[in-house]
Amino acid sequence: MNSKNIWFVTGASKGLGLTLVQQLLAHGYSVAATSRNLEELKQAVPPSDGRFLPLHMDLGNEESVQQAIATTISTLGGLDVVVNNAGYGQLGAIEELSDQESRKNFDVNVFGLLHVLRQATPHLRQQGAGRVFNISSVGGFTGNFPGWGIYCATKFAVAGLTESYAAEVQEFGVQASVVYPGYFRTDFLTGGSLGTPQHPIHEYQAVRDSQASHQQQINGNQPGDPEKAAALLIQMSETEQQPLHLFLGADAYQLAEQKIAAVQQDKQQWQEQATATNFVEA
């Protein structure tokens, strides 16, 4: 991969997406960047000698996604790297969140991502090369966060579909990674990127504590530097073989190790009984 490559980044008007776009342009890449708020995106990123294509895109509308991909290819001359970054957090206990609140989070975080993959993959497959980075979360690897069940479910879905997608497109020269960021200092925990339950249930003290902690203590104090995360994604795109699983942040590594250790303990505790469940051939 080289600086002639053309990137397509969703959710690019703020946070990690915006930081990534700014770094890509500084490194000489061509970038199509999408956002629900086109004016916000244009204000955040100045024109860049025809290498920057800001696009309004509705992730929930596959025709809008199709048009954005087609415009990228026709305007910038191709498509090489796709970053599915758009998404938002949804707080609330499983019991608290309505079907509408839950489905909306899946519509953006999962089905919106699928719309992009469905429209971008034919081009990558036909050219016999391409890179895909699907931004999940460490909450897509471990769900041990009270009040984040629906959000974690969307990010677990992103992880699972990325693993299968990578296996499907490997024969076409396309590589894919699921990215698990920990806590990075962006505006992810602010009102515009974080949904809260419309009908909270006061009995869920652990959920209320988690909500207060994320909104009041963690927000603005996240340990991760988005500039360094964006630089690493660019570095990964230039390697011969990008990893299928990319954990971002020391906290993500720590949480992943805790999950792996817990799974190993559960496996070992019941291994004898659980592996004796096959039919016994006479």
Side-chain angles (χ1 to χ4, degrees):
M1 309 299 282
N2 54 62
S3 60
K4 294 182 179 179
N5 286 315
I6 299 165
W7 288 62
F8 184 88
V9 181
T10 69
S13 63
K14 54 188 176 182
L16 178 61
L18 174 58
T19 302
L20 177 61
V21 168
Q22 291 169 333
Q23 284 199 23
L24 287 168
L25 292 172
H27 283 78
Y29 291 93
S30 295
V31 185
T34 77
S35 175
R36 294 173 299 172
N37 190 328
L38 187 58
E39 288 307 312
E40 184 180 13
L41 177 58
K42 288 180 177 179
Q43 291 174 11
V45 185
S48 188
D49 301 326
R51 293 186 294 108
F52 175 55
L53 178 63
L55 296 168
H56 175 269
M57 189 178 76
D58 178 4
L59 270 176
N61 183 327
E62 192 162 6
E63 289 185 8
S64 176
V65 175
Q66 181 182 28
Q67 184 176 6
I69 296 287
T71 301
T72 298
I73 295 170
S74 63
T75 304
L76 298 180
L79 176 62
D80 300 296
V81 185
V82 175
V83 181
N84 278 301
N85 171 70
Y88 73 95
Q90 178 61 61
L91 263 166
I94 300 297
E95 182 185 351
E96 289 178 329
L97 294 177
S98 67
D99 184 71
Q100 182 181 16
E101 289 170 294
S102 302
R103 287 179 183 272
K104 182 180 178 183
N105 205 210
F106 271 89
D107 282 343
V108 174
N109 292 5
V110 181
F111 289 101
L113 180 148
L114 283 172
H115 288 162
V116 174
L117 289 182
R118 198 177 293 120
Q119 296 303 320
T121 301
H123 178 80
L124 303 180
R125 174 170 53 81
Q126 289 161 16
Q127 72 183 12
R131 303 294 183 104
V132 175
F133 294 93
N134 291 331
I135 310 299
S136 177
S137 162
V138 70
F141 188 78
T142 175
N144 189 24
F145 300 99
W148 292 90
I150 293 300
Y151 174 75
C152 287
T154 68
K155 294 304 188 177
F156 266 79
V158 169
L161 69 88
T162 304
E163 290 184 359
S164 292
Y165 176 80
E168 293 167 359
V169 298
Q170 181 179 8
E171 64 181 295
F172 307 118
V174 179
Q175 298 182 37
S177 299
V178 53
V179 183
Y180 304 95
Y183 289 101
F184 279 80
R185 200 167 300 176
T186 67
D187 52 7
F188 176 75
L189 293 176
T190 61
S193 299
L194 181 65
T196 54
Q198 296 175 3
H199 303 288
I201 300 172
H202 73 272
E203 285 90 347
Y204 281 101
Q205 189 59 50
V207 174
R208 299 287 80 77
D209 291 345
S210 176
Q211 181 173 339
S213 173
H214 280 84
Q215 292 179 311
Q216 298 168 23
Q217 281 85 45
I218 297 175
N219 188 28
N221 296 301
Q222 299 96 322
D225 183 345
E227 295 285 348
K228 294 178 180 178
L232 183 59
L233 287 176
I234 296 172
Q235 180 183 347
M236 290 296 175
S237 77
E238 296 171 344
T239 60
E240 182 176 350
Q241 182 64 50
Q242 68 189 58
L244 175 56
H245 301 278
L246 176 60
F247 290 89
L248 278 181
D251 55 345
Y253 266 74
Q254 181 181 9
L255 289 165
E257 290 297 333
Q258 291 173 1
K259 166 69 178 282
I260 292 168
V263 170
Q264 291 283 24
Q265 181 178 350
D266 287 345
K267 284 176 58 187
Q268 292 166 7
Q269 181 179 357
W270 290 96
Q271 183 172 359
E272 182 178 352
Q273 298 93 323
T275 57
T277 52
N278 283 357
F279 286 107
V280 178
E281 301 294 338

